[in-house]
């Protein structure tokens, strides 16, 4: 039996998201029927060596072979690191990713990949120049449920997609958290759109943008509105409509994200000519979806698929990175650079229409 390709990871940040990622990274790949790739954490970077060491002790089983560094630069300089996972706040993604790219490390950067499309285009140019793989960590796209929804969506059994609704909301108790909290602070790119918005949008990208009838066309129209919190001026409630009508597809997605209410069931509804797919919340890691087959308005058949696996769903994106690095690819075919660009172009336009501007200097490229 051929030995799996082992990708050696450096972890940038020791926050909650990095904890989730590393916990799943250490799950035996064979539990998800993966035998061609495996993962090894070799370095963790934080603002202090002690913080990095605490992270290793708590979330990496105290593995003595993992280096604890008191700076991100030390991780980028470590020759035993092939790829880095960046889990810092949005506003730091650009500089962290650029430093990693210049050190010739492959990059998996947490969502939203940058604060704006200009930052992303700059990173993609740098990744090309330095010959490294680069991907946004939109983990939902790699989960088995998402792969199956895409397969059914594009099989033609339901006809063409026509309308999609998706929402991700969470009640952050805004009046009880400090104004310096990442979700409230505009200096961190706070607000609902950038923090929660990627998840409703990923379903629109999967079902509409990726649909063969769309032929890779960007949205024909984006319309958004924002309701801002008086606490700090970041967007508290954001709704945006994304229309795809440039090619053979004519469909629309109505998407929303809120910081002061909870999500509802189902989290995603995709309506087709001959049926409906509903996806259960939480939409970032759903465990079930239901397909209804219609004749007119009559439901002729209904099927529900449920998914279970060891871990919490973060490891599937890591497997994709490992395969891409092994195969010397510069981007993933599942969540390629074009999709992150579509995402950031949409967010830029929604922020423009909502008149949400970051403080001067927060965006590194404009």
């Amino acid at each position: 039996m051929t030995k799996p390709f082992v990708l050696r990871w450096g972890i940038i940040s020791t926050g909650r998201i990095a904890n989730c990622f590393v916990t799943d990274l250490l799950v035996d790949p064979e539990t998800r029927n993966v035998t061609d790739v495996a993962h090894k954490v070799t370095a963790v970077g934080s603002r202090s060596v002690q913080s990095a060491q605490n992270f290793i002790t708590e979330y990496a089983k105290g593995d003595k072979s993992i280096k604890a560094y008191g700076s991100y630069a030390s991780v980028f300089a470590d020759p035993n690191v092939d790829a880095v996972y960046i889990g810092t706040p949005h506003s730091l993604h650009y500089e962290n990713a650029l430093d990693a790219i210049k050190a010739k490390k492959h990059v998996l950067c947490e969502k939203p990949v940058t604060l704006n499309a200009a930052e992303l285009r700059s990173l993609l140019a740098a990744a090309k120049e330095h010959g490294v793989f680069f991907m946004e960590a939109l983990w939902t796209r790699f989960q088995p449920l998402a792969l199956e929804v895409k397969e059914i969506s594009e099989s033609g059994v339901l006809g063409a997609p026509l309308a999609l609704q998706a929402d991700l909301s969470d009640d952050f108790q805004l009046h009880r958290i400090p104004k310096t909290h990442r979700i409230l602070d505009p200096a961190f790119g706070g607000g609902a759109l950038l923090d929660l918005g990627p998840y409703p949008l990923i379903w629109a990208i999967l079902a509409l943008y990726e649909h063969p009838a769309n032929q890779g066309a960007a949205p024909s129209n984006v319309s958004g509105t924002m309701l801002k919190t008086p606490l700090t001026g970041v967007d508290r409630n954001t709704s945006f409509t994304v229309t795809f009508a440039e090619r053979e597809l004519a469909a629309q997605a109505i998407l929303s994200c809120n910081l002061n209410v909870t999500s509802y069931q189902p989290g995603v509804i995709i309506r087709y000519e001959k049926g409906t797919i509903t996806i259960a919340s939480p939409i970032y890691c759903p465990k079930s979806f239901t397909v209804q087959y219609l004749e007119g308005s009559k439901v002729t058949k209904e099927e529900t698929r449920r998914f279970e696996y060891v871990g919490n769903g973060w490891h599937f994106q890591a497997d994709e990175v490992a395969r891409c690095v092994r195969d010397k690819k510069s981007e993933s075919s599942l969540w390629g650079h074009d999709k992150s660009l579509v995402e950031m172009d949409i967010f830029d336009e929604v922020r423009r229409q909502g008149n949400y501007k970051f403080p001067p200097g927060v965006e590194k490229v404009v």
Side-chain angles (χ1 to χ4, degrees):
M1 185 176 164
T2 311
K3 279 190 171 183
F5 171 81
V6 179
L7 188 64
R8 301 174 301 173
W9 288 89
I11 308 300
I12 301 302
S13 168
T14 50
R16 186 185 66 83
I17 301 294
N19 148 24
C20 293
F21 180 72
V22 167
T23 300
D24 267 15
L25 208 56
L26 300 178
V27 171
D28 183 352
E30 290 194 17
T31 63
R32 55 187 181 272
N33 297 316
V34 169
T35 56
D36 61 323
V37 294
H39 308 279
K40 172 81 177 83
V41 177
T42 52
V44 173
S46 188
R47 283 169 289 189
S48 72
V49 172
Q50 189 57 54
S51 174
Q53 188 56 58
N54 291 346
F55 182 90
I56 293 166
T57 301
E58 192 164 353
Y59 303 115
K61 303 174 182 176
D63 188 338
K64 298 274 195 291
S65 70
I66 303 173
K67 291 278 182 67
Y69 291 115
S71 73
Y72 301 152
S74 300
V75 177
F76 302 144
D78 190 328
N80 292 314
V81 170
D82 303 314
V84 296
Y85 167 79
I86 295 170
T88 52
H90 324 328
S91 54
L92 298 176
H93 288 178
Y94 177 78
E95 55 189 282
N96 295 157
L98 187 59
D99 287 345
I101 289 166
K102 287 179 176 176
K104 297 215 166 10
K105 303 300 184 190
H106 305 291
V107 175
L108 176 64
C109 185
E110 197 47 72
K111 44 63 49 189
V113 63
T114 49
L115 288 177
N116 62 32
E119 287 187 347
L120 176 55
R121 288 184 169 89
S122 174
L123 287 181
L124 294 179
K128 185 175 183 181
E129 178 189 345
H130 291 277
V132 296
F133 173 85
F134 182 89
M135 190 176 87
E136 180 180 20
L138 246 163
W139 58 306
T140 309
R141 179 61 183 82
F142 305 92
Q143 294 162 12
L145 181 145
L147 303 184
E148 193 159 318
V149 167
K150 178 179 169 68
E151 189 177 329
I152 294 170
S153 179
E154 296 181 5
S155 70
V157 67
L158 298 174
L162 302 175
L164 181 151
Q165 280 88 24
D167 172 85
L168 181 63
S169 300
D170 194 6
D171 186 354
F172 281 85
Q173 301 286 311
L174 297 178
H175 288 277
R176 296 182 183 178
I177 60 176
K179 291 179 182 177
T180 51
H181 188 286
R182 62 171 181 82
I183 204 76
L184 274 178
D185 194 342
F188 285 130
L193 181 66
L194 289 189
D195 199 82
L196 303 179
Y199 293 115
L201 182 57
I202 201 234
W203 293 105
I205 289 176
L206 181 144
L208 305 184
Y209 173 76
E210 293 185 23
H211 196 278
N214 187 53
Q215 299 169 18
S220 52
N221 183 267
V222 174
S223 178
T225 182
M226 287 180 160
L227 181 59
K228 297 171 186 169
T229 170
L231 293 169
T232 59
V234 303
D235 63 305
R236 186 185 70 195
N237 310 82
T238 294
S239 298
F240 54 113
T241 302
V242 183
T243 302
F244 293 89
E246 289 292 317
R247 300 288 189 271
E248 293 173 16
L249 183 72
Q252 194 171 70
I254 301 172
L255 312 171
S256 57
C257 43
N258 304 278
L259 299 180
N260 60 344
V261 292
T262 56
S263 291
Y264 54 81
Q265 294 285 6
V268 183
I269 302 171
I270 314 168
R271 288 180 282 181
Y272 297 78
E273 292 170 315
K274 297 183 286 186
T276 302
I277 295 177
T278 57
I279 301 169
S281 293
I283 66 170
Y284 48 79
C285 189
K287 290 296 183 71
S288 70
F289 73 91
T290 298
V291 185
Q292 286 187 336
Y293 299 84
L294 301 175
E295 282 182 13
S297 59
K298 184 184 176 187
V299 177
T300 57
K301 187 169 68 164
E302 183 172 293
E303 299 171 334
T304 296
R305 284 278 286 115
R306 291 182 172 82
F307 295 77
E308 294 296 334
Y309 40 80
V310 180
N312 292 303
W314 302 79
H315 34 33
F316 300 108
Q317 62 180 345
D319 294 342
E320 174 71 4
V321 175
R323 292 183 181 115
C324 289
V325 170
R326 177 196 66 193
D327 299 342
K328 296 180 168 47
K329 293 181 178 178
S330 60
E331 61 183 303
S332 163
S333 59
L334 298 185
W335 189 257
H337 298 161
D338 63 313
K339 293 166 195 173
S340 291
L341 284 167
V342 165
E343 173 196 10
M344 296 317 301
D345 280 337
I346 289 171
F347 289 166
D348 281 0
E349 179 59 20
V350 174
R351 280 198 304 113
R352 186 191 69 78
Q353 292 181 26
N355 195 31
Y356 176 19
K357 296 173 182 171
F358 299 124
V362 172
E363 295 163 289
K364 304 304 182 286
V365 186
V366 290

